[in-house]
Amino acid sequence: MAYYFNEPSHTFNEYLLVPGYSSEECIPSAVSLETPLVRFKKGEKSSIMMKAPMVSAIMQAVSGEKLAIALAKEGGVAFIYGSQSIEDEAAMVAAVKKHKAGFVRSNSNIRPDMTLADVIALKEQTGHSTVAVTDDGTANGKLLGIVTGRDYRVSRMDPSTKVSEFMTPLDKLITAPDGTTLKEANDIIWDHKLNSLPIVDKEGRMCYFVFRKDYDEHKQNPNELLDADKRYVVGAGISTRDYAERVPALVEAGVDVLCIDSSEGFSAWQKQTLAWIREHYGDSVKVGAGNVVDREGFRFLADCGADFIKVGIGGGSICITRETKGIGRGQATALIEVCKARDEYFEETGIYIPVASDGGIVYDHHITLALAMGADFVMLGRYFARFDESPSAKVNVGGTMMKEYWGEGSNRARNWQRYDLGGAKKLTFEEGVDSFVPYAGKLADNVQITLAKVRSTMCNCGALSIPEFQQKARLTLVSSASIVEGGAHDVVLRSQAMKETWGSNR
């Protein structure tokens, strides 16, 4: 006879936090959101401590190099999607690691024999007003000069004018050698009243630009997540199929942490993958695993050597696994049980294995609930897919700007490896959908608002850190009537009233 759980499984939307005493010290600016990403021993500290409890999902529509850089600036970690060639994924990882904070690789480049018309077209394409003039028109060509808006006037110049005739030549530029620190570069910019400083190597080839306008931006990013060499921290997804070839390439590219991308982690395939990594790299390569939804699944992956464990099956906004296969569990219930198992494992072994809540996040306050229930951080897909930095296209749907968003189990992604059960190398049926999400602008603007809400709620509960929050949090189940009561009700919203009035006066 099948085993039946006594309690129904619950979602985040069925819980509320009950406020606790807030002292004078409980102000949002005093709250620390630092949290461990990978396992550590009692009395020690995790080798990767995030400054924001957020990582991006391993998805084609979410985690590319641009989002990885943007998220690292806010203190989180992106996991580059693995449903692409080994070479392409490794190249994305390498691009993030090579991106120096403040040192911008020029993507607006032109040859001296090209024309003003070409400069204008390039500006329209990239949006950048500073153009490097190199011998071959590439980002790493020999620097011959630069062109800025001060070098030409469209209304008074022939579009066929050669770039060499109006560019600022190299002998009139101030440059700095490769190896110059960001502080030194900014000092040169301020001392010489420059808007940009080209960085060149010993052969005079273009390496980077440092811009005056970026100075304030970097001052505004105190939570940047950097490795020991001051490079952005980045993760990458792997499957249980080609790990023997993919892992070495990603390690060579400089990846900081890996994660097995699988819809269900309680399997022999994940055990084999973890065993291979430990055999060939020991503990030097950090790798997360999952997904699981109960105590047994957690213990299995913990004993296999996972550095963090993801919780959640079927709760993603584009996931239809529960509909197609009838497996899964309410995200809140799954998370509570797994986090309890994590704490028991820590007491028994002295090893703390961070838990990621993956799926089921609809509103910002669900992130706070997940942390209160024991999650060390959350993995988000839909949330990040909405931003400028995600890899998907921005489209106009019925007059509203949207971003494309599709699941890894959809026909569009066809990531059969994620749902692999050792059979044929194909996606037999879909476990994800192809969709749109409302466009939301820049990642930084949205993440900062979301984390402000998290900090404010933690203060309401009298906590100044995530561990303290988990100790002090008090949660209550709510009825369907309570959920309705929690929103605006029994009033006519001003926006709706104005809309109806405007419509009747047309």
Side-chain angles (χ1 to χ4, degrees):
M1 181 177 176
Y3 176 82
Y4 291 87
F5 289 87
N6 292 326
E7 296 287 335
S9 61
H10 298 284
T11 66
F12 292 132
N13 224 35
E14 296 176 77
Y15 284 91
L16 284 175
L17 281 157
V18 177
Y21 172 70
S22 301
S23 68
E24 293 178 351
E25 298 174 346
C26 285
I27 57 175
S29 61
V31 172
S32 168
L33 294 178
E34 188 176 57
T35 193
L37 178 61
V38 296
R39 71 160 62 199
F40 58 94
K41 294 180 180 179
K42 189 174 184 178
E44 299 179 356
K45 196 172 186 178
S46 175
S47 59
I48 304 178
M49 293 292 294
M50 295 191 294
K51 298 176 183 178
M54 307 170 81
V55 301
S56 68
I58 309 167
M59 300 177 68
Q60 295 172 11
V62 178
S63 297
E65 59 191 82
K66 290 183 180 179
L67 190 127
I69 293 168
L71 185 51
K73 287 181 178 181
E74 301 304 316
V77 174
F79 283 87
I80 302 295
Y81 64 94
S83 52
Q84 59 179 321
S85 71
I86 294 173
E87 295 74 19
D88 288 346
E89 185 180 15
M92 281 191 176
V93 169
V96 177
K97 300 307 291 186
K98 290 177 181 178
H99 184 96
K100 295 183 180 180
F103 291 84
V104 180
R105 289 189 178 276
S106 177
N107 64 354
S108 293
N109 309 285
I110 205 163
R111 298 191 312 273
D113 61 338
M114 297 177 77
T115 66
L116 173 60
D118 295 319
V119 172
I120 296 170
L122 184 61
K123 182 179 178 181
E124 290 178 353
Q125 177 186 344
T126 65
H128 300 150
S129 58
T130 300
V131 178
V133 184
T134 60
D135 60 346
D136 58 4
T138 69
N140 297 113
K142 190 170 183 179
L143 183 65
L144 303 178
I146 65 171
V147 172
T148 70
R150 294 178 300 181
D151 293 312
Y152 61 87
R153 292 190 67 177
V154 176
S155 61
R156 297 189 178 185
M157 293 174 62
D158 188 331
S160 64
T161 305
K162 298 292 185 182
V163 169
S164 58
E165 297 180 29
F166 61 87
M167 71 180 188
T168 301
L170 180 62
D171 59 8
K172 293 185 178 180
L173 292 177
I174 294 173
T175 64
D178 191 19
T180 300
T181 67
L182 184 59
K183 183 181 184 306
E184 292 169 341
N186 281 320
D187 286 343
I188 294 172
I189 286 173
W190 288 102
D191 290 344
H192 295 275
K193 300 180 180 179
L194 305 175
N195 287 322
S196 64
L197 175 69
I199 307 295
V200 297
D201 64 16
K202 294 179 180 179
E203 286 74 40
R205 294 188 174 278
M206 185 70 188
C207 296
Y208 309 100
F209 271 120
V210 178
F211 293 98
R212 173 188 287 263
K213 65 181 177 60
D214 288 341
Y215 178 81
D216 290 336
E217 177 188 336
H218 294 297
K219 286 295 183 182
Q220 293 169 5
N221 292 328
N223 291 324
E224 283 185 326
L225 194 60
L226 306 173
D227 65 15
D229 297 317
K230 305 298 183 183
R231 303 174 301 176
Y232 288 124
V233 172
V234 62
I238 60 173
S239 74
T240 57
R241 281 280 188 168
D242 63 358
Y243 53 84
E245 295 79 35
R246 191 173 293 267
V247 171
L250 294 173
V251 171
E252 176 67 23
V255 73
D256 296 280
V257 57
L258 302 171
C259 184
I260 302 173
D261 184 25
S262 174
S263 64
E264 205 273 298
F266 198 174
S267 73
W269 316 114
Q270 294 220 5
K271 181 178 182 180
Q272 293 169 8
T273 304
L274 289 166
W276 187 91
I277 292 173
R278 294 297 171 238
E279 178 186 352
H280 289 82
Y281 294 96
D283 292 330
S284 64
V285 170
K286 306 302 181 184
V287 55
N291 289 20
V292 298
V293 292
D294 60 9
R295 180 182 184 278
E296 287 74 22
F298 173 87
R299 296 289 300 214
F300 172 79
L301 291 176
D303 291 338
C304 288
D307 285 297
F308 66 85
I309 294 174
K310 293 195 297 168
V311 178
I313 293 177
S317 60
I318 41 69
C319 183
I320 54 173
T321 293
R322 296 182 193 175
E323 293 180 39
T324 57
K325 298 172 69 173
I327 65 169
R329 200 176 191 188
Q331 186 67 12
T333 299
L335 182 61
I336 291 168
E337 181 174 321
V338 170
C339 289
K340 183 178 179 181
R342 179 221 30 223
D343 294 342
E344 292 172 353
Y345 191 85
F346 181 55
E347 288 298 320
E348 294 174 18
T349 66
I351 297 173
Y352 187 92
I353 303 176
V355 166
S357 181
D358 179 17
I361 302 291
V362 180
Y363 305 109
D364 285 352
H365 77 269
H366 288 171
I367 297 174
T368 317
L369 286 169
L371 296 174
M373 291 171 181
D376 296 280
F377 55 95
V378 295
M379 177 172 275
L380 304 165
R382 179 194 62 84
Y383 179 90
F384 288 118
R386 303 173 300 149
F387 303 147
D388 285 322
E389 296 85 354
S390 74
S392 64
K394 185 168 64 174
V395 294
N396 188 313
V397 179
T400 301
M401 294 309 299
M402 311 285 279
K403 291 274 284 186
E404 294 181 316
Y405 180 45
W406 60 94
E408 289 296 293
S410 67
N411 273 326
R412 182 170 183 172
R414 300 202 68 78
N415 183 7
W416 63 267
Q417 296 96 328
R418 189 176 197 277
Y419 303 89
D420 182 35
L421 293 174
K425 298 180 178 181
K426 64 178 182 177
L427 192 68
T428 307
F429 55 89
E430 287 186 288
E431 293 190 46
V433 299
D434 199 340
S435 62
F436 299 102
V437 289
Y439 168 66
K442 293 185 178 297
L443 179 145
D445 296 338
N446 288 274
V447 166
Q448 288 167 16
I449 292 172
T450 295
L451 296 182
K453 295 177 184 178
V454 173
R455 291 188 180 96
S456 180
T457 304
M458 288 172 62
C459 286
N460 291 142
C461 296
L464 294 176
S465 69
I466 292 175
E468 184 183 11
F469 183 42
Q470 292 166 347
Q471 290 295 319
K472 291 184 174 181
R474 297 183 299 159
L475 293 148
T476 180
L477 276 167
V478 296
S479 66
S480 57
S482 295
I483 295 173
V484 173
E485 181 185 57
H489 61 89
D490 298 330
V491 294
V492 177
L493 295 179
R494 183 177 180 85
S495 58
Q496 182 63 29
M498 296 297 289
K499 181 179 179 181
E500 292 176 357
T501 301
W502 179 80
S504 65
N505 290 334
R506 289 187 65 180

